[in-house]
Amino acid sequence: MLARLQRFVILAVTLAALGWLVAWTSAGRPVLAVAGALVLAFGYVFILAVEFVLLACLHGRDEAPRAGPLQLLRAWLGECVVAWQVFVWRQPFHAARYPDVPGRPGVRGVVFVHGYVCNRGLWGPWLARCTAEQRPYVAVDLEPVFSDLDIYVPQLETAVARLEQTTGLPPLLVCHSMGGLVARAWLAATPGAAARVQHVITIGSPHRGTWLARLSRTTNSRHMRQASEWITGLAAREPALHTGRFTCFYGHADNIVFPACAATLPGADNRHLPATAHVAMVFHPEVVSEAARWLAASAEAISSGEAEGASSR
């Protein structure tokens, strides 16, 4: 559904830009024609700029270090590139490029959980790496796109169960933005779920809500507002020990989840990523390395267990 919607938006914007270009060129105004077409085609960069201005103005007394002008500029430029790659190329046209790999016994898998207005295409570079390394994975598509967050819990349960059954091991969860809240909702709603995952890595997840969500009216965005009834209820019903299973990446240049510490959890391993915007955080080398570290530790533990078993025989 989301891929079709994004393809429709891309087509509409392209036709509008071409129409403007042709109309004003025919009217003898070539400069206006080109300028207007560029604004229509790349208007998203101005929307991103507004988000960065808002996060800078609303930092307040947040515990995260305040991002400087050059750090914000660097993050904005990076996000302009990454947003085009994700929302104009990977998600609309290549969401199914890398099919899920259910795996084989003894090789730990990864469940990828995307965020708001995203699909599994977000994870393209991650899935390519997993495929090359023969790493089992399931990348979920959370749909309906704008529904209640609790609707997604059974979808995550299906993904986790699939890797459990094929590998015999609890998978690693890697979650971006809203996906981190879905992981927490699944842990809170599913008896024994904590023992069924190796670890949970969240990337820019609005664990305490985000100021920006007040500008949207969809059901899941209302859940992600600061101090929303949904977030308050989730915190009340999840066991405190769950947060020890989390590594939470957050950043002072996150243009979607701000103030920055809204993406942290008490008791979790909270890691700050400087000068990195919301979608770009998904591909930050430190995030990729952290996932690789957990998977490598898993492999070492399995090898150690096999060696001990052989020596005992």
Side-chain angles (χ1 to χ4, degrees):
M1 175 182 172
L2 182 69
R4 291 195 298 270
L5 176 61
Q6 290 181 333
R7 288 195 295 267
F8 173 79
V9 171
I10 292 167
L11 177 61
V13 170
T14 301
L15 291 176
L18 289 174
W20 178 283
L21 184 65
V22 170
W24 285 103
T25 299
S26 301
R29 303 288 296 276
V31 175
L32 181 60
V34 173
L38 289 174
V39 168
L40 286 168
F42 297 99
Y44 75 95
V45 304
F46 301 104
I47 297 174
L48 290 174
V50 171
E51 293 171 354
F52 280 97
V53 170
L54 286 172
L55 82 87
C57 293
L58 296 169
H59 182 275
R61 297 182 179 181
D62 192 69
E63 295 176 4
R66 183 181 289 274
L70 290 180
Q71 290 177 311
L72 292 174
L73 177 62
R74 173 185 162 191
W76 172 71
L77 290 172
E79 194 75 345
C80 289
V81 175
V82 173
W84 191 95
Q85 293 172 336
V86 170
F87 295 105
V88 180
W89 184 245
R90 291 183 194 143
Q91 291 190 167
F93 302 106
H94 295 282
R97 180 176 181 181
Y98 298 100
D100 293 339
V101 178
R104 61 188 187 277
V107 181
R108 194 180 302 277
V110 186
V111 175
F112 294 99
V113 192
H114 64 74
Y116 186 67
V117 196
C118 287
N119 64 21
R120 69 191 307 281
L122 166 75
W123 302 105
W126 285 79
L127 305 188
R129 177 172 177 163
C130 286
T131 300
E133 295 176 353
Q134 297 184 321
R135 171 70 59 184
Y137 67 84
V138 173
V140 300
D141 269 326
L142 301 177
E143 293 196 354
V145 177
F146 301 116
S147 74
D148 187 307
L149 290 181
D150 292 313
I151 295 294
Y152 303 138
V153 168
Q155 298 174 41
L156 181 52
E157 167 63 25
T158 299
V160 171
R162 184 181 181 194
L163 283 180
E164 281 182 309
Q165 292 165 5
T166 56
T167 68
L169 297 169
L172 173 69
L173 266 60
V174 179
C175 315
H176 179 236
S177 194
M178 182 186 76
L181 293 180
V182 176
R184 287 175 59 197
W186 172 74
L187 283 165
T190 311
R196 296 173 56 203
V197 291
Q198 180 202 26
H199 196 69
V200 183
I201 296 174
T202 68
I203 311 161
S205 292
H207 292 301
R208 306 184 206 176
T210 173
W211 185 94
L212 200 63
R214 68 185 63 195
L215 303 181
S216 177
R217 295 293 181 268
T218 65
T219 301
N220 43 10
S221 64
R222 289 200 301 269
H223 288 342
M224 291 186 282
R225 293 175 183 175
Q226 293 169 303
S228 73
E229 182 179 347
W230 190 89
I231 283 181
T232 303
L234 173 62
R237 71 178 189 267
E238 64 183 346
L241 292 177
H242 281 182
T243 58
R245 290 184 173 271
F246 280 72
T247 298
C248 301
F249 287 96
Y250 71 106
H252 60 185
D254 186 332
N255 53 304
I256 298 297
V257 179
F258 56 83
C261 283
T264 64
L265 277 174
D269 180 6
N270 297 304
R271 309 274 191 91
H272 181 255
L273 298 177
T276 310
H278 187 67
V279 180
M281 292 171 75
V282 173
F283 312 104
H284 194 286
E286 187 175 336
V287 178
V288 177
S289 295
E290 177 66 5
R293 184 181 73 84
W294 278 98
L295 294 170
S298 167
E300 290 170 5
I302 294 170
S303 298
S304 175
E306 290 175 348
E308 290 176 5
S311 62
S312 66
R313 290 193 296 269

